[in-house]
Amino acid sequence: MTERLGRIFLTRVIEPGDEAGGRWVREFGVAEVVRRLRQGGPALPGVSGKRWAGLLARAEQAEPGRDLAVARDAGVRFVCPGDTEWPGQLDDLGDARPLGLWVRGAPSLRMWALRSVAVVGARACTEYGAHMAATLAAGLAEQGWVVVSGGAYGIDGAAHRGALGAGGATVAVLACGVDRPYPRGHTGLITRIAEQGLVVGELPPGDHPTPARFILRNRVIAALTRGTVVVEAAHRSGSLATARAAQRLGRHTMGVPGPATSGLSAGVHELLRGDAVLVTDAAEVVELVGDIGELAPERRGPVLPRDLLGPATRQVLAAIPARRTARPTEIARGAQTSPDDAIARLYELRALGYVERHGDGWKLTRQAMTSPHGGHGAW
């Protein structure tokens, strides 16, 4: 049996993320592990007799040749360590590294993973969460980033749709066979992802998801990408497992804040109280995960007319009383300048509509009283 068929055989026998199985492969090699399992030899180290018997029972049912044929008929290929398409960053998982990945879709998984970001979150998300996930994913796609998520309802689906809607690249990492989309309600979405992007999974054709497989799938999402963004997540959300895996792997971990009163954002806020970074749009995500120089634009409020005044002129404007007329000498004292300089600044301010002259005194106009930061009256 070839190395590839041996790994396909093991995907039927060993559960995803099983570190004991990964250790066997590393220490004894694929061929020896397969031989022991097929021949019913003595148990490999670190496993109980009961569990070994269960693995042997699974091994009796495994037909790697058939799995490979079924996959090929469904347009699915098997990518394993050593292949040119294998993403090297998955090796960071150590003994929990996938034995191989079933891949559906034309692009190269290795190339796409080099510039990818995970966007994950709650299944039962709010309209705000879905909007933020879709907008974030679309922005990332427009900047040439691949959006990776889990294909689930809620935030995952919104992220995939956002990337697809922007004509961008997206990858769905499933907790089941990639030829059998789950959830069923996302069959159309996952089919579209396979046509425009990639659908990836550790489990062989036809295999079904379980709660444990969903959690273990998240480590693959975290390892494939440069960083993970959590959009909405309650305290017990499975998407937090992706963020924690990203942190363990040294990847960037980010969170999109929600209302302080929202239980669906409580998990995100807990991440933000730790080592995660707050982000609100794609530019801020790219600033973290991108190359040197890919900076988010500086955040500034609107430019107001007062912002265009020189510092000395602003000081004179601030020295004018809010509700009465003042003489130039009084204004000069408040602005800490000479009366002649104050008068020159007052004429400048009159030309801009901020002050008006009343005999020997000067007074703020209605515009200065009502415009933001116009003078004392604005406070």
Side-chain angles (χ1 to χ4, degrees), residues 26 28 46 54 64 67 87 112 130 216 236 238 254 260 267 319 350 359:
R26 174 171 53 82
F28 300 102
D67 282 337
W112 273 28
L216 290 163
R236 292 175 57 86
M254 296 153 277
R350 186 176 73 167

Side-chain angles (χ1 to χ4, degrees), residues 175-198:
C176 57
V178 298
D179 63 327
R180 188 170 297 181
Y182 184 91
R184 292 283 182 86
H186 272 181
T187 298
L189 174 62
I190 291 170
T191 300
R192 187 179 169 202
I193 293 171
E195 293 169 352
Q196 190 169 323
L198 290 170

Side-chain angles (χ1 to χ4, degrees), residues 49-250:
K50 181 179 178 181
R51 181 159 172 246
W52 183 248
L55 292 173
L56 294 179
R58 280 189 170 193
E60 288 180 3
Q61 303 298 316
E63 298 180 48
R66 178 180 176 278
D67 282 337
L68 190 57
V70 169
R72 284 173 176 164
D73 289 344
V76 176
R77 60 190 179 276
F78 186 73
V79 177
C80 59
D83 290 348
T84 56
E85 194 181 350
W86 180 256
Q89 56 266 51
L90 289 177
D91 299 342
D92 294 344
L93 291 168
D95 288 337
R97 178 183 71 171
L99 294 159
L101 290 173
W102 300 90
V103 180
R104 183 179 165 200
S108 165
L109 176 60
R110 183 180 73 85
M111 295 304 296
W112 273 28
L114 290 174
R115 192 174 167 87
S116 64
V117 178
V119 179
V120 298
R123 285 176 172 80
C125 67
T126 64
E127 288 186 12
Y128 161 79
H131 169 76
M132 289 302 298
T135 303
L136 195 67
L140 288 167
E142 287 167 357
Q143 295 189 51
W145 286 82
V146 177
V147 176
V148 179
S149 198
Y153 291 131
I155 296 300
D156 289 15
H160 290 306
R161 290 188 182 96
L164 291 169
T170 189
V171 178
V173 182
L174 305 186
C176 57
V178 298
D179 63 327
R180 188 170 297 181
Y182 184 91
R184 292 283 182 86
H186 272 181
T187 298
L189 174 62
I190 291 170
T191 300
R192 187 179 169 202
I193 293 171
E195 293 169 352
Q196 190 169 323
L198 290 170
V199 179
V200 177
E202 294 179 79
L203 291 157
D207 225 338
H208 64 282
T210 66
R213 288 173 173 178
F214 281 116
I215 296 298
L216 290 163
R217 175 272 312 272
N218 293 340
R219 83 194 193 288
V220 177
I221 295 176
L224 269 177
T225 54
R226 288 202 195 179
T228 293
V229 185
V230 185
V231 177
E232 271 188 328
H235 277 303
R236 292 175 57 86
S237 172
S239 60
L240 296 180
T242 311
R244 287 190 287 268
Q247 288 174 333
R248 287 193 300 270
L249 292 164

Side-chain angles (χ1 to χ4, degrees), residues 18-29 33 45-47 94-96:
D18 186 329
E19 294 193 37
R23 187 169 61 253
W24 296 338
V25 168
R26 174 171 53 82
E27 293 179 352
F28 300 102
V33 176
V47 63
D95 288 337

